[in-house]
Amino acid sequence: MRGNEFAEFNAFVAIAERESFVKAAAFLEVTPSALSQSMRQLETRLGVRLLHRTTRSVSLTEAGRQLLDHLRPALDGLARAAETINDFRETPSGTVRLSAPRVATELLIAPRLAEFRKYYPEIILDISVEDKFVDLAKHGYDAGIRQGELLAKDMIASRIGRDRRFAAVASRSYLAKHGVPHSPLDLQKHECIRIKRPTTEVNKPWVFMDKGHTLEISVTGHLLVNDANLALAAALSGAGIALLAEDHVRPHLQSGRLVEMLEDYSWSRAGFFLYYSSRRNMSASLHALVLFLREPLRRQVAGAH
């Protein structure tokens, strides 16, 4: 059995047992879109439909039920076999090349580098900080970190961070001089610090939520940057209002250097994912990094229940 076939069968069992792509994706720690693609590939390869899909439910076809009956004991046996050799596994070693945006390195990686070194002293982490999306294979990376789920078809994505809420913030001096906006539309009258996206030079509207509906507000301002840290520094200096991830500005909100506005309209987007190619066998060192970066989120989710 090829590696991708095993992954497809494992994904099928997870979906069948939970009757949900979303729940199965959370269990496997991949994105629902990646899981859906994996099922399409499996059904195409087998030449038979395995799942009935609607917008609200997922159920097995007769072929799917028969496949599940054969796969479940086989996969359970493989899991038990893998567990029996854990004591013989060597300490992971080698180099892992990682591409990650600056904010992800600051929030998720830098604070834990000493801990990673303690647990995996033989692994060399080669980290490139870059905000643009990169082709892992083309540039020789083992894995990358990016926000959201917009990944190439042959990538596996594993969530390593919660969804990120965005906050409109400004200094007290700016608000004292220009007033406090009370609705997203009021921002059109203010000096807004805009951030260029790494994939395009076009200025994107700011996004808010109003009673479950998305609001896209086109804002203006005399400062346009391509770095969130520079936007933060500008907001701290009183240059205008910035829309930044709340986890990025939290220390300054707590200290009072920044003030958050429009909390009732705040919007969240998918958090950070670690992604890597599904076309290659995962090395022990990369597997160790994946588990290490996923662990804080796993503890947070477990603690919430």
Side-chain angles (χ1 to χ4, degrees):
M1 182 186 297
R2 294 175 297 179
N4 61 325
E5 292 175 348
F6 175 81
E8 290 168 358
F9 285 139
N10 193 45
F12 165 73
V13 172
I15 296 168
E17 290 181 338
R18 291 160 182 79
E19 299 182 343
S20 165
F21 275 84
V22 174
K23 292 179 180 178
F27 172 75
L28 296 172
E29 297 183 307
V30 299
T31 63
S33 58
L35 202 57
S36 180
Q37 181 191 345
S38 181
M39 284 304 92
R40 287 195 297 269
Q41 292 173 343
L42 177 60
E43 289 178 328
T44 298
R45 183 166 56 80
L46 296 179
V48 63
R49 181 175 291 277
L50 301 172
L51 300 168
H52 293 301
R53 304 172 178 84
T54 70
T55 55
R56 296 185 178 181
S57 65
V58 177
S59 61
L60 291 171
T61 65
E62 180 58 31
R65 279 191 289 271
Q66 291 190 25
L67 181 60
L68 180 63
D69 289 341
H70 286 85
L71 281 178
R72 186 183 282 122
L75 291 175
D76 289 344
L78 286 173
R80 287 193 298 272
E83 290 174 0
T84 62
I85 64 169
N86 280 341
D87 292 339
F88 299 94
R89 184 173 297 150
E90 295 180 358
T91 301
S93 63
T95 300
V96 178
R97 296 197 66 224
L98 179 68
S99 169
R102 183 177 305 280
V103 66
T105 60
E106 293 174 351
L107 294 175
L108 301 176
I109 298 178
R112 304 187 67 211
L113 286 175
E115 183 184 1
F116 185 82
R117 168 69 177 161
K118 174 183 176 182
Y119 285 109
Y120 303 105
E122 302 301 320
I123 295 178
I124 298 173
L125 280 183
D126 182 350
I127 303 171
S128 293
V129 180
E130 47 198 345
D131 289 327
K132 64 181 181 180
F133 189 86
V134 297
D135 184 321
L136 298 184
K138 181 178 179 181
H139 295 282
Y141 291 109
D142 297 294
I145 295 176
R146 288 296 176 267
Q147 192 165 319
E149 301 180 5
L150 299 178
L151 302 173
K153 294 180 180 179
D154 61 345
M155 291 292 138
I156 296 174
S158 184
R159 181 185 283 272
I160 59 174
R162 287 180 176 271
D163 288 353
R164 306 183 75 207
R165 186 177 74 85
F166 279 71
V169 298
S171 68
R172 295 183 184 278
S173 62
Y174 174 88
L175 296 176
K177 184 176 181 179
H178 300 281
V180 178
H182 297 289
S183 77
L185 286 174
D186 291 343
L187 292 170
Q188 296 177 330
K189 305 173 185 177
H190 282 265
E191 184 72 18
C192 294
I193 303 164
R194 298 171 291 164
I195 301 178
K196 295 182 289 185
R197 305 304 174 190
T199 55
T200 176
E201 293 298 307
V202 178
N203 181 45
K204 295 286 187 179
W206 285 8
V207 181
F208 297 90
M209 295 295 294
D210 184 15
K211 299 177 181 178
H213 299 286
T214 302
L215 297 177
E216 293 189 351
I217 307 298
S218 296
V219 298
T220 59
H222 290 81
L223 184 59
L224 187 62
V225 302
N226 70 344
D227 181 76
N229 282 337
L230 181 54
L232 172 59
L236 287 167
S237 73
I241 298 173
L243 185 66
L244 296 164
E246 190 271 338
D247 56 10
H248 191 193
V249 299
R250 187 180 298 136
H252 304 291
L253 294 174
Q254 293 172 341
S255 69
R257 295 187 66 196
L258 290 177
V259 176
E260 180 179 358
M261 303 148 283
L262 309 174
E263 293 97 326
D264 292 339
Y265 299 93
S266 65
W267 166 77
S268 297
R269 64 176 294 190
F272 287 108
F273 287 78
L274 181 73
Y275 67 101
Y276 47 92
S277 176
S278 62
R279 293 179 177 177
R280 55 182 295 181
N281 294 325
M282 183 185 293
S283 66
S285 53
L286 177 56
H287 185 249
L289 179 64
V290 172
L291 295 179
F292 182 82
L293 291 179
R294 287 194 322 211
E295 181 60 20
L297 179 62
R298 188 197 67 77
R299 290 199 300 263
Q300 290 173 16
V301 172
H305 293 290

